[in-house]
Amino acid sequence: MTDDWSSALLTDRYELTMLQGALRSGAAHRRTVFEMFARRLPDQRRYGVVAGTGRFLEALRDFRFDTPTLDFLSDNGIVDDSTLKWLAEYRFSGDIWGYGEGEIYFPGSPILVVEGTFAESVILETVALSIFNHDSAIASAASRMVTAANGRPLIEMGSRRTHEMSAVAAARAAYLTGFATTSNLEAGRRYGIPTAGTSAHAFVLAHDSERHAFTAQLDALGPETTLLVDTFDVERAVRTAIELAGEKLGGVRLDSGDLAATAARVRDLLDQHGANGTRVLVTGDLDEYSIQALAIAPVDGYGVGTALVTGSGSPTVSLVYKLVARARGSAPDDRLEPVAKRSVGKPSRGGRKWGSRRLDDQGVATAEIVYDHEPEKEPGVRPLLRQLVDKGEIVGTEPLPTARERHKAALAELPEEARRMSGGEPAIPTQFERLHP
């Protein structure tokens, strides 16, 4: 983003409506605790993945009501003058904890805990949810795809199937969970993700023949490039590719048809001509299920687009951001009291919470433990919350590779059934310890 970027209007109007009302009533200055969590996992999935933490901290850094922003709010009569004055001085001054990015979560996990005044905390709701809901949906789907690929590399290539900025965020979330590369160059520039790309059918059709197209690509990029071989006749294209590039041909890509059967024929043809090191890559509306179905096929890598950037059928993970505790007055030492909603089908649990994961003697997760107090250190119990913001100062930034390694370790802790593609209950139960009613 540019230096003068403000994320303050990435919000719903009702946040500022509540702010204005709270400034009038005096509730704006009460100490509060908001928590972000999921009531359930989507589509009978067995675990979710926390993603978006780094992007949220960037947005928090830029959450400032500058002059153009305030002018917009004033010109459109969105808030009154006293609220404008308060917003002009806005800086989040509280504390935020969260599950580490890349961590696994389950229903009820306190993924994000925001402590501050009601006014400064409530207006972060929309920007937090929009980032975490999107990125966690992509990461949760991507993690399943990585599991299905079973060590074979995955290329993220969904930029043309979503909003241009969502594409960048999706590439980040996919890399976090184990994708090897992305086709999105902005994601490569912004986040240091390795990039990859081959060519489209249009490149072949733009030339007088497939042979001319292959020759041009090989001349421009060298024999290690990957040639798209299913524009016309696949086997003829593979023979042409080997004739032109020889045994050093980097790879061939299949984008249509019966991928398993075609990959087998192509692999045999390559091996017959001595191109044993040439990789067979497949693309074309893949998701975790089709990737798993290709497990026994001679495929060396996958390119995934539409299913990835749409969360493979779950484009949101339905995270919510709820007030769970507040002080009765506005004094700094007023005691926090739990609060909860009782809406049918949408209940919440009051009180500040801490999340931990219980492991057995073999290091396998057996339960998600949610406490209503900060627990003592206990063998076999791994605390999950880390401080992200301390008295308004962002302290939780970390390199993307750190989150990538965290996800790998957290996934390895889960029981074997967590890695099944079939629907089912969460891989481990969530246990609430001594929680307020």
Side-chain angles (χ1 to χ4, degrees):
M1 297 298 180
T2 59
D3 292 339
D4 60 353
W5 162 254
S6 170
S7 60
L9 292 185
L10 298 179
T11 189
D12 290 319
R13 178 166 175 165
Y14 90 146
E15 314 289 6
L16 300 189
T17 301
M18 290 189 285
L19 171 63
Q20 182 169 309
L23 288 171
R24 291 282 185 91
S25 71
H29 310 296
R30 287 179 172 175
R31 291 172 55 229
T32 59
V33 179
F34 283 83
E35 287 179 356
M36 186 174 71
F37 60 93
R39 294 188 176 95
R40 62 191 65 84
L41 298 177
D43 196 28
Q44 291 190 300
R45 291 185 182 172
R46 298 172 187 265
Y47 66 89
V49 180
V50 177
T53 310
R55 294 208 309 119
F56 170 70
L57 293 177
E58 291 175 359
L60 180 64
R61 178 198 63 202
D62 297 329
F63 204 87
R64 302 286 185 268
F65 290 84
D66 55 16
T67 298
T69 302
L70 294 169
D71 287 345
F72 167 79
L73 297 175
S74 176
D75 293 345
N76 289 275
I78 293 173
V79 293
D80 60 19
D81 289 344
S82 61
T83 305
L84 286 170
K85 183 177 180 181
W86 187 91
L87 290 172
E89 302 298 323
Y90 178 81
R91 299 290 187 276
F92 181 77
S93 64
D95 301 325
I96 300 178
W97 289 263
Y99 277 36
E101 189 161 23
E103 185 60 79
I104 304 298
Y105 75 87
F106 297 95
S109 298
I111 294 170
L112 196 73
V113 180
V114 180
E115 288 199 21
T117 67
F118 176 80
E120 66 180 349
S121 301
V122 73
I123 62 175
L124 297 178
E125 175 186 11
T126 301
V127 69
L129 288 177
S130 63
I131 291 172
F132 280 96
N133 265 314
H134 174 269
D135 289 23
S136 296
I138 306 306
S140 296
S143 178
R144 287 159 54 86
M145 294 172 185
V146 172
T147 295
N150 195 28
R152 297 172 179 175
L154 291 149
I155 305 171
E156 183 284 311
M157 48 193 304
S159 296
R160 292 167 294 164
R161 298 294 185 264
T162 188
H163 183 278
E164 63 271 20
M165 289 297 102
S166 296
V168 180
R172 181 184 183 278
Y175 184 71
L176 184 157
T177 56
F179 270 59
T181 55
T182 178
S183 65
N184 189 288
L185 293 178
E186 177 59 20
R189 184 189 69 84
R190 189 177 301 185
Y191 299 118
I193 302 171
T195 61
T198 57
S199 62
H201 295 291
F203 181 77
V204 175
L205 297 174
H207 290 79
D208 293 337
S209 69
E210 196 167 51
R211 175 180 292 274
H212 289 151
F214 287 177
T215 299
Q217 185 171 334
L218 290 165
D219 286 347
L221 301 174
E224 291 302 311
T225 190
T226 297
L227 299 175
L228 180 60
V229 294
D230 68 346
T231 305
F232 304 114
D233 180 86
V234 173
E235 294 185 18
R236 185 179 65 185
V238 172
R239 290 190 178 91
T240 300
I242 296 171
E243 179 186 339
L244 295 172
E247 299 176 2
K248 294 183 179 180
L249 177 62
V252 295
R253 177 163 76 96
L254 302 171
D255 189 54
S256 58
D258 185 335
L259 293 175
T262 306
R265 293 199 307 273
V266 168
R267 181 74 271 162
D268 287 344
L269 191 57
L270 290 168
D271 292 345
Q272 289 170 19
H273 289 80
N276 306 90
T278 300
R279 295 165 294 124
V280 178
L281 307 178
V282 296
T283 58
D285 294 325
L286 299 179
D287 59 14
E288 61 266 46
Y289 304 106
S290 54
I291 291 170
Q292 185 179 58
L294 290 164
I296 62 173
V299 172
D300 299 294
Y302 310 90
V304 189
T306 302
L308 177 74
V309 298
T310 57
S312 195
S314 297
T316 177
V317 289
S318 300
L319 300 175
V320 295
Y321 182 95
K322 298 299 179 184
L323 179 66
V324 296
R326 67 167 177 83
R328 282 194 174 274
S330 300
D333 57 350
D334 282 346
R335 187 170 65 90
L336 287 169
E337 298 181 348
V339 295
K341 60 183 290 188
R342 295 287 182 260
S343 304
V344 176
K346 294 185 176 182
S348 61
R349 296 175 181 266
R352 163 76 154 92
K353 304 174 193 69
W354 285 259
S356 297
R357 191 155 299 146
R358 189 179 300 281
L359 310 173
D360 65 16
D361 293 341
Q362 283 72 47
V364 177
T366 60
E368 187 88 341
I369 312 297
V370 180
Y371 300 89
D372 67 350
H373 60 281
E374 187 169 9
E376 299 289 335
K377 289 185 177 180
E378 180 182 349
V381 177
R382 181 168 68 85
L384 298 171
L385 287 174
R386 56 190 297 268
Q387 190 155 22
L388 304 176
V389 179
D390 182 11
K391 297 180 177 61
E393 180 184 356
I394 296 173
V395 297
T397 56
E398 60 184 7
L400 187 57
T402 300
R404 183 176 163 98
E405 288 302 313
R406 179 183 292 114
H407 176 68
K408 183 178 179 180
L411 188 60
E413 284 181 350
L414 297 184
E416 182 62 32
E417 56 265 28
R419 286 174 279 279
R420 296 174 185 166
M421 293 299 110
S422 58
E425 295 298 315
I428 58 175
T430 303
Q431 299 175 359
F432 295 90
E433 299 288 336
R434 288 176 47 197
L435 282 182
H436 300 278

